[in-house]
Amino acid sequence: MDGCHQRIPLEGAFRNSSGCAISGIIDRSGKRFTAREAITSISVMHDRSNGLGGGFAGYGIYPEYKDYTALHIFYYSSEAKRACETFLEEHFDLINLSKIPTKKHPAITDVPLIWRYFVTALPTKLSFSQLDEDEYTARCVIRINREIEGAYVFSSGKDMGVFKAVGFPEDVGEFYMLDEYEGYSWTVHGRYPTNTPGWWGGSHPFSLLSYSVVHNGEISSYDANRRYIEMYGYACTLQTDTEVITYMIDYLHRRMGLTLEEVSHVLAAPFWSTIEQKEPKEREEYSYLRNTFASMLITGPFSIILGFKGGLMALNDRLKLRSLVAAEKAGRVYFASEEAAIRVIEPEPDRLWYPSGGKAVIVTLDSMQEGEEHGHQLSVSAL
Amino acid sequence: MKRIYVNEMWCLGCHLCEYYCAYANSGIQDMVKALKDKQIQARITVEQRGTISFAVNCRHCTEPLCIKSCIAGAITSKDGVIVIDQSRCVLCYSCIMACPYGALMPAREGVMQKCELCTTNSQGQPACIQGCPNKAIVFEER
Amino acid sequence: MGINYLYPPFEIIRNQDRCIACRVCERQCANLVHHYDEDKKRMTADESLCVNCHRCVSLCPTRALKIVKTDHTFKENANWKTEVIEDIYRQAQSGGVLLASMGTPKEYPVYWDKMLINASQVTNPSIDPLREPMETRTYLGKKSAKITRDGEGRIITSTTGQLKLDIPIMFSAMSYGSISYNAHKSLAMAASELGTFYNTGEGGLHKDFYQYGKNTIVQVASGRFGVHPEYLNAGAAIEIKMGQGAKPGIGGHLPGSKIGEDISATRMIPLHADAISPAPHHDIYSIEDLRQLVYALKEATRYTKPVIVKVAAVHNISAIASGIARSGADIIAIDGFRGGTGAAPARIRDNVGIPIELALASVDQRLRQEGIRGNVSLVVGGSIRSSSDVIKAIALGADAVYIATSALVALGCHLCRTCHSGKCNWGIATQNPELVKRLNPEVGSQHLVNLLTAWNHEIKEMMGGMGINSIEALKGNRLMLRGIALHETELKILGIAHAGQ
Ligand code: SF4
Ligand code: SF4
Ligand code: SF4
Ligand code: SF4
């Protein structure tokens, strides 16, 4: 990524640390709602962002295209668009394509071309590649992002989409007219980078396939994680924590078949002293996961909300060095960096709590069957 | 009671213990001044034959023969530490004859001297133990 | 006798005002340097015999002694330095190969000293190791590449043998023979107490030390000394020694004079016979052969023990390591060219091989590029001198380090580099019973435990500063390092940015 994006230095040219605000909402009944509440929630934490990046991920927003991969792409030139579309045509059936509708907003400037494609892998190419569809799609996305200058795929899941830009998150929400989308879950991110990359791709959520991550914190294990995950075909071009966390989740959950609960035992593995106090069987499992995926342990402060097909997972670092609050009210579950960001949209939750460090809170739609996700997904755990 | 024990396996025959002892009991602050150009008067003696060496000093016996033998009542047990009151020693050598370890010897002043575990000098801790480079002598409860 | 071209390199300065003529120096110098002059009633010395081991200096009760470098000099010459000229004299006289011990003393760059460690400020908190848990536990061994589950969906957690280290530091191979019984015992005792491992080296395992088996790595070297099934099963892991940093490409030679009864029994060779380790393993002429030996050893131990392959850091080390990583070995140990030795030809020690920092950086990178870093753990040695060297090694990509010279220094070694003479005044590199007993293992092991405990504290302190509370998050975390006074190529190989970048 260089050259044609507007500002220098670009995201990815250096490692950028940032503080942030995050928020997430899910309706377990599967009832769909607009991003309005997410926008309201994040705007309360305005001071946690500095206008240099914001974004949303919505799940269940494309029911009419739910079997197709929705690619959201930024283009910084028409050549890039042409090159990328040629690549897409070679690898996918393009079911539908359009500009993503936006509304002019004074605070959102330097707007690239923003396109959306609903695609499905070309059957011949797919079978020739001997990969499953997800892997095929993931590799294509990584390839576009690495190789086609001026094109950047920032969303590549099914029945979900990421919307992000440089600006305050509430402005980004207006810009993309997110009032017009309805989903069963939303996550949102406001960014406070400590220097100014000003590149849209660098905003969050970061997403691969149907995984999207919003993250607050700065992890000290970054390079250990990055150098390890890059062994498995991922390219951390953005040099952000969120990117590497997303890849690790994709690897562990999708490719290694761990449950999300197990993923959390890798990313925020308990201390050995804690593991040692567990029942023998559990102790073995925890030790095994921690040892086998030692290089994917994340240290340093972080709180993340992972969006995935049919649910959300919130996870804190094991020392809980970053704030994270959860609340529940009649089938809705809320997560946010600050309590106020929940109270503004749900003043009287049935329950409000501070998930303990390293303990994942996983919420899935009531309709999801056990084991429907990869591995052996639990419907709700650690609530 | 803590006593000094020898482990001949680790004794190097370096004689440092003797020098630290003599220094400790000299009452002089500076080792050089205390020992230079003098015949040293140590209360610990390194016995040596061939490659075996070990340091011997008073065992502070529970049934001290020296006390029984002293005709002047100069040797007494102070909480188990066998001490000698040099002002009462009449130099009869009875203790030398009685001690099975050869732990008493005449001091320069002409009266007997013996190891008092550095309880009566300014050391507080047996100086030989501190001076031994190889932990061949130890001061411990057994 | 002819002309002696060599002037003694050291002078023994005795402060006669302080010397109390206790004769401790005389008794303690195995090189017979000091003696008492009855007529003059004072101590004198023959400095030509002195190797500057500081035994006398350390034991002199009145600090009357010091050893200084002689200021006797040749006409100054930047090319024909004193040592160069003197080596020529020596060889002109002896006609032999120059022997040397310990690591090279030559002035090569020490890259550890050209790397700086990061710390957190503002954006990310540092962690106080006194308040929060700080973990240095490490597991060495192959990491499973896929998750398998039983009928109930539980993860099957069996692993091939893993070595559990409470601190990421092990004692590297030093054979019984090259070092003394007491030195070995000190290492074994310390390893048990510290929850780490010591390594038998190629000299077999003395029967007294089987009790330390669970903290022992048994080595199989080209001489195969003392190797038998019971030996292989006695330790926690088996190390195949292919090479040693101080003398890549050559074998070893323990002279018959050092092969006393105990050593001959332990090595399973005749009394007073020279113990010669051939340069190569004569059953390993290629990587396939290595694979066979790895599996032969695994068979012999019923796949319960990880196998380590130890190699010297040489020019194409990353390709070699990649081969080893595919040979079935669980751990690769790389020994850098500054590593120590009990005896090696000086020219080889000083000129063959590459620094461990560069070897480590390129091996780690190569294994990652090939996606096989998880197949093996990486242990590096060859002059790890402090806790910050350990941190830097791990940040470059090592799983753990091997120390040997540092351990010997903790035991009293003063790096006089005359191990090959067999007259080590500190009781370490000698088999002379009079000298061996100078190292009381109770004292020695305590020093080793103290040293590593201190290092571990410092490691935790530095990790905390970086905001890292588990050692695995430091492994390969090169962003935590910056180079100083390094040029582009060096930075590229080390995979780090320059300070200020
Ligand atoms: S100082 Fe220790 S090693 Fe030396 S002679 Fe005395 S007891 Fe033996
Ligand atoms: S304890 Fe003190 S007096 Fe007794 S032998 Fe040792 S140094 Fe001498
Ligand atoms: S060889 Fe060692 S003990 Fe002997 S004089 Fe030299 S420094 Fe002292
Ligand atoms: S050890 Fe020191 S005081 Fe004793 S004889 Fe030697 S130089 Fe003199």
Side-chain angles (χ1 to χ4, degrees):
Chain A
M1 287 300 133
D2 52 16
C4 44
H5 310 318
Q6 308 97 319
R7 289 188 204 156
I8 301 284
L10 285 168
E11 193 81 35
F14 56 91
R15 179 150 152 74
N16 193 357
S17 49
S18 49
C20 302
I22 59 176
S23 192
I25 312 166
I26 179 166
D27 193 317
R28 279 157 58 187
S29 70
K31 200 174 134 247
R32 295 164 64 235
F33 53 101
T34 72
R36 180 48 52 193
E37 281 157 282
I39 298 174
T40 311
S41 168
I42 200 80
S43 64
V44 171
M45 299 184 284
H46 187 87
D47 284 352
R48 282 179 166 265
S49 325
N50 65 358
L52 290 173
F56 296 75
Y59 287 79
I61 57 171
Y62 297 135
E64 61 278 28
Y65 289 107
K66 68 180 177 3
D67 295 328
Y68 301 105
T69 301
L71 298 174
H72 293 188
I73 307 183
F74 292 137
Y75 293 122
Y76 281 88
S77 66
S78 43
E79 296 86 76
K81 178 163 180 283
R82 223 169 299 128
C84 185
E85 283 178 349
T86 313
F87 179 88
L88 290 178
E89 270 158 19
E90 278 167 13
H91 293 81
F92 297 94
D93 251 339
L94 273 49
I95 308 300
N96 184 329
L97 75 170
S98 64
K99 258 187 157 154
I100 296 185
T102 55
K103 186 165 80 190
K104 271 209 175 351
H105 191 289
I108 310 282
T109 55
D110 294 338
V111 181
L113 303 170
I114 312 171
W115 280 72
R116 171 166 53 209
Y117 304 80
F118 290 100
V119 304
T120 182
L122 280 177
T124 46
K125 281 262 176 172
L126 180 62
S127 70
F128 189 71
S129 74
Q130 297 186 331
L131 300 171
D132 67 29
E133 196 197 332
D134 280 343
E135 185 62 24
Y136 178 88
T137 309
R139 288 199 191 181
C140 289
V141 168
I142 291 171
R143 214 170 126 192
I144 294 172
N145 289 351
R146 192 166 42 195
E147 290 172 15
I148 303 180
E149 226 175 78
Y152 186 75
V153 182
F154 61 100
S155 185
S156 53
K158 287 183 179 166
D159 198 14
M160 64 80 72
V162 169
F163 303 88
K164 59 188 186 181
V166 172
F168 282 102
E170 52 273 30
D171 300 340
V172 175
E174 308 296 343
F175 172 76
Y176 280 107
M177 303 186 287
L178 292 185
D179 276 337
E180 288 169 22
Y181 294 80
E182 286 190 332
Y184 58 77
S185 80
W186 290 95
T187 63
V188 53
H189 183 268
R191 193 172 184 215
Y192 197 135
T194 45
N195 38 36
T196 55
W199 179 53
W200 288 44
S203 298
H204 301 166
F206 187 85
S207 175
L208 181 69
L209 300 175
S210 293
Y211 301 104
S212 69
V213 173
V214 289
H215 153 259
N216 170 17
E218 184 188 338
I219 63 178
S220 53
S221 54
Y222 174 78
D223 216 28
N225 302 145
R226 174 189 71 82
R227 296 186 65 233
Y228 198 77
I229 199 67
E230 285 194 343
M231 286 209 302
Y232 302 103
Y234 300 92
C236 296
T237 47
L238 297 182
Q239 298 199 44
T240 60
D241 296 345
T242 317
E243 175 186 44
V244 81
I245 294 172
T246 309
Y247 289 157
M248 290 198 289
I249 292 172
D250 177 61
Y251 177 78
L252 292 169
H253 187 245
R254 179 174 66 84
R255 288 174 56 183
M256 298 306 281
L258 295 186
T259 65
L260 286 172
E261 181 92 36
E262 287 162 349
V263 169
S264 74
H265 300 166
V266 170
L267 300 185
F271 289 103
W272 289 115
S273 53
T274 315
I275 293 179
E276 248 128 55
Q277 284 158 14
K278 295 191 185 290
E279 295 301 307
K281 188 74 203 153
E282 262 204 313
R283 188 192 320 141
E284 255 176 55
E285 273 181 26
Y286 273 80
S287 308
Y288 179 81
L289 287 173
R290 180 160 178 192
N291 179 18
T292 305
F293 301 109
S295 290
M296 299 201 203
L297 173 74
I298 304 177
T299 59
F302 71 87
S303 53
I304 59 172
I305 304 172
L306 166 76
F308 58 93
K309 180 172 171 273
L312 294 182
M313 173 174 86
L315 180 67
N316 240 171
D317 66 85
R318 46 198 191 149
L319 291 180
K320 201 165 171 72
L321 295 169
R322 275 290 187 275
S323 54
L324 180 69
V325 193
E328 197 182 10
K329 168 94 178 196
R332 285 239 181 144
V333 179
Y334 303 84
F335 299 109
S337 302
E338 289 177 12
E339 190 179 326
I342 295 178
R343 296 245 183 226
V344 68
I345 45 176
E346 183 45 74
E348 275 170 28
D350 297 339
R351 199 156 79 88
L352 182 136
W353 76 106
Y354 295 81
S356 39
K359 197 125 183 50
V361 181
I362 301 166
V363 187
T364 51
L365 297 181
D366 296 336
S367 60
M368 288 232 338
Q369 296 298 308
E370 192 158 317
E372 188 176 312
E373 267 296 308
H374 280 282
H376 302 262
Q377 193 57 51
L378 307 166
S379 62
V380 177
S381 68
L383 274 175
Chain B
M1 189 185 105
K2 275 179 148 185
R3 289 189 171 77
I4 290 175
Y5 296 96
V6 200
N7 191 344
E8 76 279 1
M9 200 157 158
W10 306 119
C11 177
L12 312 174
C14 68
H15 293 253
L16 272 169
C17 46
E18 296 178 353
Y19 284 85
Y20 282 101
C21 174
Y23 167 46
N25 292 301
S26 68
I28 299 174
Q29 280 303 308
D30 175 10
M31 189 184 220
V32 177
K33 208 159 140 201
L35 305 179
K36 191 160 170 61
D37 301 326
K38 290 191 187 133
Q39 194 65 45
I40 63 156
Q41 299 274 329
R43 300 165 185 199
I44 187 165
T45 328
V46 179
E47 307 273 350
Q48 200 155 7
R49 181 180 293 166
T51 59
I52 303 283
S53 63
F54 52 89
V56 193
N57 60 354
C58 173
R59 309 282 79 222
H60 299 276
C61 314
T62 38
E63 284 179 45
L65 296 174
C66 55
I67 296 188
K68 283 190 188 148
S69 74
C70 180
I71 59 166
I75 308 176
T76 53
S77 168
K78 229 167 78 188
D79 304 326
V81 183
I82 315 300
V83 295
I84 183 164
D85 178 352
Q86 292 185 317
S87 67
R88 299 178 72 167
C89 172
V90 296
L91 208 63
C92 69
Y93 281 29
S94 302
C95 53
I96 293 198
M97 310 275 279
C99 176
Y101 302 101
L104 293 104
M105 62 285 288
R108 232 194 317 271
E109 302 79 40
V111 287
M112 286 298 149
Q113 67 170 23
K114 71 176 293 299
C115 164
E116 295 175 338
L117 295 178
C118 286
T119 51
T120 50
N121 60 31
S122 63
Q123 288 292 312
Q125 287 259 27
C128 51
I129 303 290
Q130 288 164 289
C132 176
N134 209 31
K135 264 203 171 173
I137 34 178
V138 290
F139 187 51
E140 59 191 29
E141 199 97 39
R142 273 193 191 167
Chain C
M1 205 185 172
I3 305 173
N4 181 6
Y5 289 88
L6 297 168
Y7 188 86
F10 311 109
E11 274 165 32
I12 293 166
I13 312 281
R14 188 185 327 262
N15 183 340
Q16 294 289 359
D17 282 347
R18 297 187 64 84
C19 175
I20 57 172
C22 68
R23 303 176 70 170
V24 165
C25 49
E26 180 184 16
R27 292 187 199 99
Q28 289 291 297
C29 178
N31 296 311
L32 307 176
V33 170
H34 304 273
H35 44 92
Y36 183 64
D37 188 321
E38 291 286 353
D39 301 334
K40 292 192 195 141
K41 299 260 179 281
R42 52 168 25 204
M43 300 296 301
T44 60
D46 176 356
E47 52 210 8
S48 70
L49 302 171
C50 176
V51 300
N52 198 4
C53 73
H54 289 190
R55 179 75 184 178
C56 57
V57 175
S58 304
L59 264 66
C60 172
T62 58
R63 233 179 300 110
L65 283 173
K66 66 175 174 183
I67 317 277
V68 298
K69 199 173 153 199
T70 180
D71 54 10
H72 169 76
T73 182
F74 288 90
K75 193 169 201 167
E76 247 177 64
N77 191 322
N79 185 25
W80 294 94
K81 298 201 177 85
T82 303
E83 63 204 58
V84 175
I85 301 171
E86 288 185 344
D87 280 349
I88 291 180
Y89 290 149
R90 279 195 192 99
Q91 291 192 294
Q93 239 152 27
S94 70
V97 169
L98 293 168
L99 273 188
S101 346
M102 298 313 281
T104 180
K106 301 273 187 230
E107 244 198 317
Y108 287 104
V110 177
Y111 288 97
W112 303 130
D113 296 340
K114 297 176 179 226
M115 287 186 273
L116 300 171
I117 299 166
N118 194 26
S120 313
Q121 297 288 294
V122 185
T123 55
N124 165 342
S126 45
I127 303 169
D128 182 349
L130 296 175
R131 287 158 184 273
E132 306 283 355
M134 191 55 72
E135 303 183 300
T136 54
R137 184 192 294 184
T138 302
Y139 285 90
L140 302 182
K142 202 188 288 305
K143 309 284 182 233
S144 359
K146 65 172 194 280
I147 296 291
T148 44
R149 292 180 191 267
D150 63 17
E152 288 156 42
R154 302 204 82 143
I155 296 177
I156 298 170
T157 56
S158 67
T159 43
T160 55
Q162 303 269 319
L163 288 185
K164 176 183 150 206
L165 276 61
D166 288 337
I167 44 176
I169 305 169
M170 304 189 286
F171 299 122
S172 65
M174 288 177 279
S175 70
Y176 173 41
S178 75
I179 59 169
S180 66
Y181 178 94
N182 288 336
H184 243 218
K185 185 162 181 189
S186 304
L187 292 166
M189 286 167 66
S192 308
E193 191 172 335
L194 291 160
T196 182
F197 298 86
Y198 86 108
N199 188 312
T200 61
E202 58 178 315
L205 182 61
H206 192 285
K207 58 186 180 335
D208 296 354
F209 300 150
Y210 275 73
Q211 54 170 313
Y212 301 106
K214 63 185 207 333
N215 296 89
T216 305
I217 295 170
V218 295
Q219 202 182 55
V220 173
S222 62
R224 300 289 151 86
F225 300 122
V227 176
H228 51 86
E230 205 194 330
Y231 169 77
L232 294 177
N233 282 291
I238 304 173
E239 179 171 279
I240 301 173
K241 177 193 178 182
M242 296 303 303
Q244 183 177 343
K247 43 178 174 180
I250 65 164
H253 177 191
L254 193 67
S257 60
K258 289 195 182 178
I259 314 286
E261 244 168 76
D262 252 9
I263 294 188
S264 110
T266 307
R267 295 205 172 203
M268 309 194 302
I269 53 172
L271 202 60
H272 304 307
D274 285 9
I276 298 188
S277 306
H281 286 247
H282 282 299
D283 52 359
I284 304 182
Y285 283 5
S286 73
I287 190 86
E288 310 88 80
D289 294 345
L290 174 67
R291 191 182 169 82
Q292 286 197 3
L293 180 57
V294 168
Y295 280 99
L297 294 173
K298 289 194 172 214
E299 286 286 339
T301 51
R302 273 160 268 107
Y303 293 86
T304 54
K305 320 246 177 214
V307 171
I308 306 170
V309 174
K310 175 179 176 177
V311 283
V314 290
H315 298 180
N316 54 340
I317 186 67
S318 43
I320 294 166
S322 151
I324 299 172
R326 297 167 202 276
S327 72
D330 303 273
I331 301 165
I332 306 179
I334 311 174
D335 196 14
F337 90 132
R338 287 194 307 270
T341 170
R347 292 290 168 247
I348 290 188
R349 181 195 67 174
D350 296 344
N351 294 284
V352 179
I354 64 170
I356 189 60
E357 302 90 325
L358 303 180
L360 163 60
S362 58
V363 166
D364 177 69
Q365 188 55 28
R366 172 72 169 261
L367 296 183
R368 283 172 199 262
Q369 270 161 7
E370 295 181 13
I372 52 174
R373 182 63 185 82
N375 280 14
V376 282
S377 292
L378 268 185
V379 178
V380 299
S383 190
I384 300 282
R385 306 153 305 163
S386 66
S387 57
S388 52
D389 289 358
V390 178
I391 290 268
K392 291 168 190 177
I394 293 175
L396 279 181
D399 289 87
V401 303
Y402 258 150
I403 62 165
T405 304
S406 309
L408 297 189
V409 172
L411 292 177
C413 165
H414 277 56
L415 281 171
C416 69
R417 309 197 301 267
T418 44
C419 317
H420 54 288
S421 74
K423 290 197 284 193
C424 174
N425 265 328
W426 294 92
I428 300 166
T430 177
Q431 300 304 324
N432 174 346
E434 278 298 277
L435 299 175
V436 170
K437 79 174 182 187
R438 292 183 180 183
L439 179 59
N440 179 345
E442 207 186 296
V443 181
S445 64
Q446 191 56 49
H447 283 179
L448 293 169
V449 170
N450 289 349
L451 177 76
L452 292 199
T453 308
W455 283 18
N456 208 36
H457 279 306
E458 293 173 333
I459 288 172
K460 289 178 175 184
E461 206 73 62
M462 285 184 271
M463 279 168 54
M466 290 181 263
I468 287 175
N469 54 11
S470 284
I471 197 94
E472 54 259 55
L474 178 65
K475 188 175 88 188
N477 198 334
R478 296 190 184 176
L479 215 48
M480 290 297 162
L481 298 175
R482 288 291 186 275
I484 180 127
L486 290 175
H487 57 62
E488 202 90 355
T489 314
E490 291 167 316
L491 291 169
K492 204 174 125 222
I493 295 166
L494 291 168
I496 60 174
H498 201 274
Q501 270 181 332

